[in-house]
Amino acid sequence: MSAIPLGVRPALLLGVPNRITLVRTVVAMVIAAIAFRTGALSWLVIGYAAYWIGDMADGAVARYRNEESVAGAVFDIVCDRACSFLLAAAFMATFPATIGPLAIFLVQFGVLDKMLSLAFLLWPGTLSPNYFYKVDRPIWLWNWSKPAKAVNTAAVVISLIVAHHTGAHWFPYGIAIGALVVKVASTYRLLTILRGRRPAVPALAA
């Protein structure tokens, strides 16, 4: 048996899913740089589309090819932050009115959500946050179920675009604060589980 953990074997590190993650990250970051330079909302939309489509594709390919790995999950989490932070920076530079809600989003996504996303590492055998339902279903449901993943970043970005066209600048604040509340509640629940004050509620299937 190999002494190298499954999650870091070269065959998986250099596999197709991680290549997709790398490519979509580079593409999204290049487009974000173009958005910085041009100040065009269209480039921001294209950048987020590249990020989201690539993020869905790398996971789908990993599952299809049976190449899911701990290292791949961590790489994906890190790349998600790289994409989000640079695209958000381009958004804020282009449209200063977005600074407030995006600052709230970046705090929760860059700190709380990152901590939550990496928490699966505390439970050996859990390949990624997608399988956190095996540890605690409520936290998984709030953060990595399909509806939760769909709105995690998209809801804030879409609300910013809506606000840009309608002038309803309160809308993205509401979405960003709502997302922050979910992350705070999830973090609190995780900490109480880790400290033994609350039993985890695992599920046998998602």
Side-chain angles (χ1 to χ4, degrees), residues 138-196:
I139 293 178
W140 172 83
L141 190 65
W142 302 339
N143 296 276
W144 303 294
S145 61
K146 289 182 179 179
K149 291 176 72 173
V151 303
N152 191 28
T153 303
V156 174
V157 175
I158 292 172
S159 71
L160 290 170
I161 295 173
V162 170
H164 175 70
H165 288 291
T166 65
H169 296 295
W170 56 268
F171 185 41
Y173 275 99
I175 297 295
I177 292 171
L180 178 62
V181 169
V182 171
K183 300 305 176 182
V184 169
S186 299
T187 301
Y188 177 76
R189 182 176 178 86
L190 176 63
L191 291 175
T192 57
I193 290 171
L194 291 174
R195 298 180 70 178

Side-chain angles (χ1 to χ4, degrees), residues 70 120-121 123-129 131-132 134-135:
V70 171
F120 78 95
L121 296 170
W123 282 270
T126 305
L127 279 176
S128 77
Y131 298 97
F132 206 78
K134 296 180 179 180
V135 177

Side-chain angles (χ1 to χ4, degrees), residues 101-136:
L102 278 175
I104 296 171
F105 167 75
L106 292 176
V107 167
Q108 69 89 353
F109 192 65
V111 180
L112 296 178
D113 188 73
K114 183 176 181 179
M115 184 189 74
L116 289 165
S117 296
L118 292 173
F120 78 95
L121 296 170
L122 298 174
W123 282 270
T126 305
L127 279 176
S128 77
N130 291 328
Y131 298 97
F132 206 78
Y133 61 84
K134 296 180 179 180
V135 177
D136 186 70

Side-chain angles (χ1 to χ4, degrees), residues 74-99:
V74 173
F75 185 47
D76 183 75
I77 290 167
V78 171
C79 287
D80 284 349
R81 272 78 196 158
C83 292
S84 288
F85 271 70
L86 192 53
L87 286 165
F91 224 129
M92 291 187 286
T94 304
F95 304 103
T98 66
I99 291 175

Side-chain angles (χ1 to χ4, degrees), residues 11-76:
L12 293 180
L13 287 175
L14 302 176
V16 174
N18 284 350
R19 294 178 191 177
I20 294 174
T21 302
L22 179 61
V23 170
R24 60 97 166 167
T25 301
V26 172
V27 169
M29 294 177 74
V30 168
I31 294 173
I34 295 173
F36 260 122
R37 184 175 180 84
T38 63
L41 179 61
S42 58
W43 279 112
L44 286 168
V45 172
I46 293 170
Y48 275 107
Y51 161 33
W52 291 333
I53 292 171
D55 194 28
M56 290 186 289
D58 57 18
V61 170
R63 289 186 290 274
Y64 177 77
R65 294 173 60 92
N66 194 28
E67 292 184 359
E68 291 179 282
S69 67
V70 171
V74 173
F75 185 47
D76 183 75

